Amino acid sequence: MTAATALPDEIAKFDALAARWWDPNGPMAPLHRMNPLRCRWVASRLAAAHGRAGTDLGGLSILDVGCGAGLASEGLARCGAQVTGLDAAGGALAVARAHAEAEGLSIGYREGRPEDLAAEGARFDAVVALEVIEHVADRAAFLAALAALLKPGGMLFLSTLNRTPRAFLLAKVGAEYLLRLLPRGTHDWRMFVTPAELGTEARRAGLRVCDIAGMVPVLGGREWRESRDVAVNYIAAARKD
């Protein structure tokens, strides 16, 4: 494995959580609570880009990069999309396949990296990479690979953490050490990405950021809502022109 977009230590870290990925009260609890907002945000904007109302993604092809055990993949498949999930963590993918089958969902899961899939000539209406870019070895190479996987006019959706003092206190110290919402070592604050950095690096990959929103917890963290506050968690959409 080369280190173009995949860090072996990061892969192993999330693969170790595979068995508890679908436990809504387990180590992935924050993602479970955030996932409805993420999927709704992605689906509504992608549907609108194709002249559709609501979250109708019927027939559209989506690649979920860094899919883990399939939280977002299943959410988008329920909107009618033809979803392919891609991850380098084989254990998580085994859990994803079993869970999708039990739910009666047809999702194609593949083990590998986005640059490998791009080299095969695969192209999609949309690519999503949610809470992934802050874990990759080379953001420029990662974004270039994601851009290559898009059809002309296709859309890329990314969610990540802003590199701010507040994000360090809340998403790193608070979530991992004080509240223990996430396993210690889940994040490296130095790898968090500012919206300005993301916009610049996306442009270099041939993508134009067209929408961005903050994501903030409410009701004691049991739910998440869209916000103008991007100081900690945020989600962005970019188009391949």
Side-chain angles (χ1 to χ4, degrees):
M1 177 182 293
T2 66
T5 64
L7 286 168
D9 288 348
E10 294 292 303
I11 295 167
K13 179 167 61 181
F14 288 100
D15 216 11
L17 300 171
R20 298 191 63 197
W21 208 291
W22 280 98
D23 178 359
N25 298 309
M28 292 301 176
L31 291 187
H32 279 268
R33 295 165 185 170
M34 185 190 299
N35 198 54
L37 170 60
R38 299 187 311 177
C39 291
R40 185 170 61 249
W41 200 90
V42 170
S44 62
R45 280 149 184 80
L46 183 57
H50 286 266
R52 303 178 184 186
T55 58
D56 174 18
L57 302 181
L60 297 179
S61 59
I62 298 180
L63 176 67
D64 182 10
V65 175
C67 64
L71 290 181
S73 293
E74 291 199 9
L76 295 169
R78 293 183 189 281
C79 294
Q82 298 173 355
V83 180
T84 300
L86 181 71
D87 206 293
L93 288 175
V95 173
R97 293 187 183 102
H99 197 274
E101 183 177 358
E103 294 292 312
L105 295 171
S106 178
I107 300 172
Y109 286 109
R110 293 193 51 173
E111 184 173 350
R113 303 166 303 173
E115 58 266 37
D116 301 327
L117 197 57
E120 296 177 11
R123 299 295 182 267
F124 300 87
D125 294 307
V127 173
V128 301
L130 306 177
E131 279 69 54
V132 175
I133 197 169
E134 70 271 19
H135 298 285
V136 303
D138 185 331
R139 289 204 305 262
F142 183 66
L143 287 167
L146 300 188
L149 286 161
L150 286 169
K151 297 176 182 178
M155 297 188 72
L156 171 65
F157 297 91
L158 297 160
S159 61
T160 188
L161 288 148
N162 200 346
R163 198 175 62 256
T164 61
R166 183 143 61 98
F168 177 77
L169 290 173
L170 295 178
K172 180 63 182 177
V173 178
E176 294 183 23
Y177 290 87
L178 299 179
L179 300 176
R180 299 189 179 182
L181 299 174
L182 295 168
R184 291 186 180 185
T186 297
H187 293 115
D188 181 344
W189 180 79
R190 296 168 296 179
M191 296 176 71
F192 290 4
V193 189
T194 70
E197 290 169 341
L198 183 63
T200 298
E201 293 166 2
R203 285 195 297 274
R204 291 172 181 162
L207 301 162
R208 175 177 52 84
V209 174
C210 53
D211 203 351
I212 189 169
M215 298 188 294
V216 298
V218 295
L219 301 176
R222 294 191 299 275
E223 295 180 9
W224 288 67
R225 65 172 175 82
E226 183 179 342
S227 169
R228 293 182 180 180
D229 182 1
V230 299
V232 183
N233 294 85
Y234 67 95
I235 188 167
R239 187 183 299 276
K240 181 177 181 178
D241 293 324

